[in-house]
Amino acid sequence: MSLILLVLIPVAAFILFLIVLLFIFFSIPSRRDFHFFRRHALVTGGSKGIGFQLAVGLIERGCNVTIVARNVKDLQKASDELQVLADQRGQRQKVQWKSIDMTADYNVIKTAFDDCAKELGPIDILINNAGHSVQAPFSELPVTDFEKQMKVNYLSAVYATRAVVDDMKARKTGHISFVSSAAGQFAIFGYSAYSPTKFALRGFADTLHMELLPYKVNVGVLYPPNTDTEGFKEELLTMPEETKLMSDAAGLFTPKFVAEAHLKDIADGNYTTTIGLDGWMLGVLTAGASPEKSLFRALTQGALAGIFRAITLVYLGYFNGITKKCYRRRLAEKEEERENERKEE
């Protein structure tokens, strides 16, 4: 009897695993490969950093490219570099730039995007990359920063998407990407204005993915960690000590590496792009109810989420320790200053 059970239990477990596997396989949406050649791609925040490298990668994959930002000088420089790259390929690709304040009224953005489409054809690929970060303890941030961050990091993507989505639905083709952040998965000290806007992008993208499934329009989210850009270098100048110490744990990646990873996921029809080992772990841990098109990724998430939750709790403990340590040190420094003042009196 015991021998029979030893045989039957593994067989029953294997059959149960196959049943679960089939349920997952038929539940997840099918992946649709996306082809870049001769498509018109528009990248917001495309004059520098990750946005510029995304534009480079799109040129290398055969796209016509529009880059959007505010600074005309930066746009002209980036556009010239991209056009040289395009000309070297000898495929008559075109590059154009458009100076747009992405925090402007929706109608302004819609009109500008329509103008871009007149020049290079309908927009087939939209990459919402515009945004920036402010970091400071919550009580030290100007209240206006919260509204500004929401406008540039979240509402700019909403407006840009609204400007192109109806045309994509009508043509039943297209791709829309949102550049979130690792801070949109794991909020840390100093990002009370920034992190919520990046979390909001994920919620928007999750909803949009479901709504656009019948129209064969792909949606994707990129979660870049610390990336070696001009913007990140500027952030370091005002970054709180706690935030810097916590961010150092995640390492630093090049914009090209981040951009190439996302473009590969777009081509493969994947929803989420994470960067590096820590990013992959965070992606597994925070997958939750987000869409998933890869059976392998879905199984990995189901198998490892609990383990990675335990690891993340260790990270949180370490970060909480940094917060307390910095607080105690500042208290000690203030006490020392008061003591020195008393001695001078």
Side-chain angles (χ1 to χ4, degrees), residues 139-326:
S139 58
E140 296 178 14
L141 281 168
V143 173
T144 53
D145 276 357
F146 291 86
E147 184 178 353
K148 290 177 182 176
Q149 286 280 278
M150 189 59 74
K151 282 184 175 181
V152 69
N153 294 336
Y154 175 66
L155 288 176
S156 70
V158 173
Y159 293 167
T161 301
R162 188 61 178 269
V164 304
V165 73
D166 285 341
D167 180 64
M168 289 184 178
K169 287 166 67 176
R171 294 185 293 118
K172 291 200 171 182
T173 184
H175 177 91
I176 302 171
S177 274
F178 300 91
V179 179
S180 181
S181 167
Q185 299 168 293
F186 191 138
I188 62 172
F189 187 104
Y191 284 142
S192 60
Y194 177 68
S195 280
T197 66
K198 294 300 186 177
F199 273 95
L201 278 179
R202 171 189 169 158
F204 179 48
D206 285 1
T207 303
L208 204 62
H209 173 271
M210 187 178 292
E211 292 186 7
L212 296 181
L213 275 176
Y215 300 95
K216 299 180 180 180
V217 177
N218 287 356
V219 176
V221 185
L222 166 62
Y223 295 101
N226 292 338
T227 307
D228 190 15
T229 63
E230 290 183 28
F232 182 67
K233 290 183 176 71
E234 290 176 7
E235 289 173 24
L236 287 173
L237 299 176
T238 58
M239 187 176 287
E241 179 186 7
E242 294 90 339
T243 310
K244 188 174 186 307
L245 290 171
M246 295 175 196
S247 296
D248 286 346
L252 189 66
F253 292 83
T254 66
K256 184 174 181 60
F257 183 87
V258 173
E260 285 297 314
H262 188 49
L263 291 172
K264 182 180 184 305
D265 274 329
I266 292 175
D268 292 342
N270 288 317
Y271 178 73
T272 302
T273 302
T274 57
I275 308 297
L277 178 60
D278 285 352
W280 172 70
M281 289 175 58
L282 203 53
V284 170
L285 175 66
T286 62
S290 275
E292 184 53 71
K293 297 181 178 180
S294 164
L295 180 61
F296 175 75
R297 290 186 180 188
L299 292 175
T300 302
Q301 291 158 9
L304 298 179
I307 296 171
F308 289 170
R309 170 60 174 163
I311 294 172
T312 304
L313 289 172
V314 175
Y315 269 95
L316 280 168
Y318 172 63
F319 292 163
N320 289 337
I322 288 175
T323 301
K324 293 176 182 177
K325 182 178 179 181
C326 291

